[in-house]
Amino acid sequence: MIQKRQLGQGGPMVGAVALGTMNFLGTYGPADPDTSLRCMAECVDMGIDHIDTSDVYGSGGAEELLARFLKTHGDRVTLATKGGITRQPDHPFDNTDHYLTRTLEASLKRMQVERVDLYYVHRRQADHPIEETMQTLLRLRDQGKIGAIGLSEIAPSTLERAAAVGPVAAVQSEYSLWTRQPELGLTDACARHGAAMVAFSPVGRGVFADTPPDPANFAPGDLRATMPRFQPDNWAHNLTRLRSFADLARDMGESPASLAIAWVLARAPHIIALPGSRDIAHWRQLARGADLTLTAGQMEQIETVLPAGWAHGPRYGGAMSVGPEGYC
């Protein structure tokens, strides 16, 4: 059983590694639902007991898949989902009371539950005051439909404003050796306000696997094919660094994925790592990372191989860059 960390001030203790469901429905290529269900069950047995999903993963399909899992394992997990992305080109995000209320009800129906432990605003609607969004979330909490409030891909300034209205249990942001922007204020802001920082893609969308992905072989629909860091000119530079990191991990007697998870968790005690995988062998490596204690010397070695800003290319391009809040 892996180490536990608190999901927000006064929140439940959950595994330091959480389980993301975005790729269970084909985000990174074809996926088999039965394989995904078996994977989830084995993860819970390892102590990976915080499950994170969204109403837009597989257009609701991930939540429907979870309903099958929750029938037999619901009492063993802490459940989070997200809402606020519309997929409408002229209005991609909606944080209004009407929309969030309606989408939460739809999520509960798909998962066949009366309540979720944590509900995130998946993306902030820039022209809708965060204070009004918080009032909606507090109402949903008081009605017993959600246990706690989360925000995703926000700036520290937004967290400051939100926390002035009510408690924010968790802030979700991409964070890894591949993407380090949260170090520019968000990690500290979460600590000040008692919020867990839930670091999604802590193994860099698969780049810290035993064998880094080959962008030339991405399956149709693989989200990474649209990301600048996987384009040929950038990838050639990135792959060289990734191979050096893999060599370092092997010298330490660990897999690259385990070492990447250990690094993320070592950055602050309120960080929870949120990877996603359909491979149970890979999940064992991820869980292994939660049990590693890195020395100052090892952290320095990692920093030498992968210093802040090493990755070539922005993490998002085109439409995907709209929504995550910039800062610093």
Side-chain angles (χ1 to χ4, degrees):
M1 300 296 286
I2 66 174
Q3 64 159 295
K4 298 285 188 177
R5 292 193 172 182
Q6 193 167 31
L7 188 60
Q9 193 168 28
M13 300 299 291
V14 297
V17 174
L19 190 156
T21 62
M22 187 174 75
N23 64 348
F24 282 174
L25 268 277
T27 301
Y28 295 138
D32 173 62
D34 290 333
T35 300
S36 297
L37 288 167
R38 287 194 297 272
C39 185
M40 283 189 273
E42 292 198 43
C43 283
V44 172
D45 287 341
M46 287 189 285
I48 301 173
D49 57 0
H50 173 34
I51 297 182
D52 180 278
T53 192
S54 171
D55 65 340
V56 295
Y57 296 166
S59 300
E63 292 179 331
E64 291 172 351
L65 180 66
L66 265 174
R68 295 169 55 185
F69 179 78
L70 294 171
K71 284 181 180 178
T72 53
H73 295 82
D75 60 342
R76 302 177 64 193
V77 303
T78 297
L79 180 63
T81 193
K82 301 182 281 290
I85 295 178
T86 69
R87 301 291 197 213
Q88 300 298 317
D90 60 340
H91 187 57
F93 314 116
D94 193 332
N95 296 171
T96 61
D97 185 274
H98 172 75
Y99 185 83
L100 290 178
T101 299
R102 181 165 56 87
T103 55
L104 173 61
E105 292 287 359
S107 290
L108 296 176
K109 183 177 181 179
R110 279 190 291 268
M111 292 186 288
Q112 300 177 31
V113 297
E114 295 181 354
R115 172 187 184 274
V116 290
D117 300 296
L118 175 62
Y119 190 65
Y120 290 92
V121 172
H122 204 163
R123 290 291 186 275
R124 185 187 168 200
Q125 180 186 346
D127 60 355
H128 188 78
I130 190 64
E131 292 83 359
E132 292 184 21
T133 302
M134 284 295 295
Q135 291 293 347
T136 294
L137 297 171
L138 289 168
R139 177 180 59 78
L140 294 171
R141 186 199 63 180
D142 291 345
Q143 290 175 348
K145 295 177 181 179
I146 68 176
I149 293 167
L151 301 171
S152 178
E153 294 273 48
I154 60 165
S157 57
T158 296
L159 177 57
E160 296 282 349
R161 291 171 56 187
V165 179
V168 177
V171 174
Q172 199 166 121
S173 187
E174 183 172 359
Y175 184 47
S176 68
L177 282 160
W178 177 247
T179 298
R180 294 178 62 169
Q181 186 181 19
E183 294 173 8
L184 301 177
L186 185 62
T187 306
D188 289 345
C190 287
R192 285 196 305 273
H193 294 288
M197 196 181 88
V198 180
F200 74 81
S201 296
V203 288
R205 303 182 188 276
V207 302
F208 297 118
D210 289 339
T211 301
D214 181 354
N217 294 328
F218 285 157
D222 192 314
L223 185 67
R224 294 170 294 183
T226 67
M227 295 179 173
R229 291 182 181 178
F230 293 97
Q231 299 307 307
D233 289 347
N234 290 327
W235 184 246
H237 294 287
N238 292 334
L239 185 58
T240 298
R241 289 277 196 171
L242 291 168
R243 285 172 172 161
S244 296
F245 179 75
D247 289 340
L248 175 64
R250 282 188 282 270
D251 289 344
M252 292 182 179
E254 302 294 342
S255 70
S258 296
L259 192 58
I261 289 288
W263 180 90
V264 167
L265 295 177
R267 300 299 285 178
H270 61 289
I271 294 175
I272 294 170
L274 176 62
S277 177
R278 300 186 295 266
D279 186 306
I280 194 58
H282 191 219
W283 275 110
R284 293 190 185 104
Q285 292 180 344
L286 301 172
R288 164 67 180 164
D291 289 330
L292 293 179
T293 300
L294 300 178
T295 67
Q298 290 172 323
M299 292 293 282
E300 185 176 345
Q301 285 180 284
I302 294 170
E303 191 75 22
T304 298
V305 173
L306 297 182
W310 68 270
H312 284 61
R315 68 179 181 120
Y316 287 152
M320 290 186 66
S321 64
V322 179
E325 292 190 321
Y327 47 96
C328 293

